[in-house]
Amino acid sequence: MEACSLEELKEHFEAKIERLTRCMDLAAEVIGLGAPVTKCREQLIAVNSELCLAESAVGQLREHVKIQRQQVEEAKVAMENELVNHVKYTVTHLPDRLPSLQKPQQNSNQVEQSNHRIPLIPRQANNHDINHERPPSAADKKSTGFKKQHYVPQMEILTIDEFNSVPKYMKGRLSYNIINSMVDGINLTLTNKYDLMHKVPSKLTEAKRKKYHKFKEQENKNTKGVFFFIDDDFKNYSKLKYDNTARSIITILRHVGRLREIRGGGVTRFAVI
């Protein structure tokens, strides 16, 4: 040992003497109980063996914990790689069409509040505003090719949840994209049909005038304010076939609430809801 002073040397030997005294007391206690020295030695060897086994078990547990930590890190890296690959796959395999966001329905209180909005106070317009805000004149319409826009409803494409809610027997082997291709065809049919219906019959050609009157003949009291089409309209305007697949998709669109049938006069009409 290294001692810098007599005081430290004294403390060192006093500690040693205290430990030796404690060992002598323990030995005297064992001998006083009549236990032979050989038996005590065997017990100490057994205790030492158990301590060695405990140390070995603790070492194995530490090694196991170390391996588990490595596996956790490897699993984190694998999960991150899998997530990246999944995102890449999703981005490269997005459906051709995605549904638009549905407008939230207003409750009665919101509707009542919206009907009692504070009226806006019109500001005074200067000459610059007047020149830019005046409605287009007949000459402007003629020179710029101004056309009056008519509202034609467009059917929303099916969402994934709606597609999954269709029963298997009704859906068969139809895919999500095939059904929405039919929706596009229906929207094209409605656009072409009602674009013709909003024109003045006297300004149409003979062929288009016949189609106009044919469309008018299909209307009845149940079609007032409703936009509809029939199978012949779909064949003529959608550029798609109206076969068994199209009929199955019409059934699906009725099931999800996109279409409803209006019958009468031997004609089946499909009205957009």
Side-chain angles (χ1 to χ4, degrees):
M1 64 152 296
E2 294 182 0
C4 297
S5 63
L6 291 175
E7 188 68 26
E8 291 180 0
L9 187 63
K10 177 186 174 184
E11 291 177 358
H12 171 71
F13 280 109
E14 284 180 351
K16 273 195 170 185
I17 291 170
E18 185 180 356
R19 287 196 293 269
L20 289 172
T21 303
R22 189 176 301 169
C23 290
M24 290 177 66
D25 291 341
L26 290 173
E29 190 71 24
V30 172
I31 294 172
L33 294 174
V37 177
T38 305
K39 187 174 181 180
C40 290
R41 187 175 297 170
E42 291 176 354
Q43 291 177 350
L44 289 173
I45 292 172
V47 170
N48 184 57
S49 253
E50 291 179 359
L51 286 174
C52 290
L53 291 174
E55 288 179 356
S56 177
V58 170
Q60 291 177 0
L61 286 174
R62 286 178 178 173
E63 189 66 24
H64 183 69
V65 169
K66 183 179 179 181
I67 294 172
Q68 291 293 325
R69 284 178 178 173
Q70 291 177 353
Q71 291 178 351
V72 168
E73 294 298 326
E74 293 174 358
K76 286 182 179 179
V77 174
M79 287 178 63
E80 290 176 358
N81 293 335
E82 184 179 358
L83 180 60
V84 170
N85 292 333
H86 179 70
V87 171
K88 289 181 179 178
Y89 177 84
T90 303
V91 170
T92 55
H93 292 80
L94 283 174
D96 296 336
R97 305 162 189 82
L98 293 176
S100 60
L101 295 176
Q102 296 182 355
K103 296 181 180 179
Q105 296 181 352
Q106 293 182 337
N107 54 34
S108 58
N109 294 332
Q110 291 174 335
V111 174
E112 184 177 354
Q113 292 176 1
S114 63
N115 292 334
H116 292 82
R117 292 177 181 173
I118 300 174
L120 297 176
I121 301 175
R123 62 181 179 86
Q124 292 182 352
N126 53 31
N127 295 332
H128 179 75
D129 296 331
I130 294 175
N131 292 333
H132 286 274
E133 294 181 0
R134 64 181 180 83
S137 63
D140 294 335
K141 294 180 182 179
K142 186 175 181 180
S143 61
T144 59
F146 178 83
K147 294 183 180 179
K148 185 178 180 180
Q149 298 295 325
H150 299 284
Y151 170 72
V152 178
Q154 296 293 292
M155 185 187 301
E156 293 287 343
I157 65 173
L158 262 68
T159 62
I160 297 296
D161 292 337
E162 288 175 328
F163 177 76
N164 293 332
S165 68
V166 178
K168 182 65 178 177
Y169 75 89
M170 188 181 298
K171 190 164 43 180
R173 296 184 179 181
L174 294 173
S175 67
Y176 178 77
N177 285 332
I178 290 177
I179 295 175
N180 282 325
S181 296
M182 179 79 172
V183 174
D184 289 341
I186 291 173
N187 288 333
L188 183 61
T189 301
L190 292 172
T191 301
N192 290 329
K193 174 184 175 180
Y194 285 96
D195 181 62
L196 178 63
M197 293 292 290
H198 284 115
K199 292 181 179 178
V200 180
S202 60
K203 296 182 179 181
L204 297 174
T205 62
E206 185 65 23
K208 289 185 177 181
R209 192 181 303 114
K210 287 182 179 180
K211 287 184 179 180
Y212 178 90
H213 291 298
K214 185 178 179 181
F215 292 153
K216 281 294 184 180
E217 291 174 359
Q218 295 169 2
E219 296 178 355
N220 58 24
K221 61 180 181 180
N222 296 324
T223 62
K224 186 176 181 180
V226 175
F227 293 84
F228 68 92
F229 66 96
I230 63 174
D231 52 0
D232 286 339
D233 301 336
F234 185 83
K235 294 176 187 177
N236 296 329
Y237 291 119
S238 69
K239 300 179 182 178
L240 298 174
K241 295 180 180 179
Y242 190 81
D243 51 9
N244 291 332
T245 300
R247 294 186 185 92
S248 299
I249 296 175
I250 289 290
T251 303
I252 292 173
L253 295 176
R254 290 175 56 201
H255 175 78
V256 298
R258 292 287 196 278
L259 293 175
R260 66 184 179 90
E261 283 189 358
I262 300 176
R263 295 179 179 269
V267 179
T268 301
R269 306 161 184 83
F270 302 105
V272 178
I273 299 177

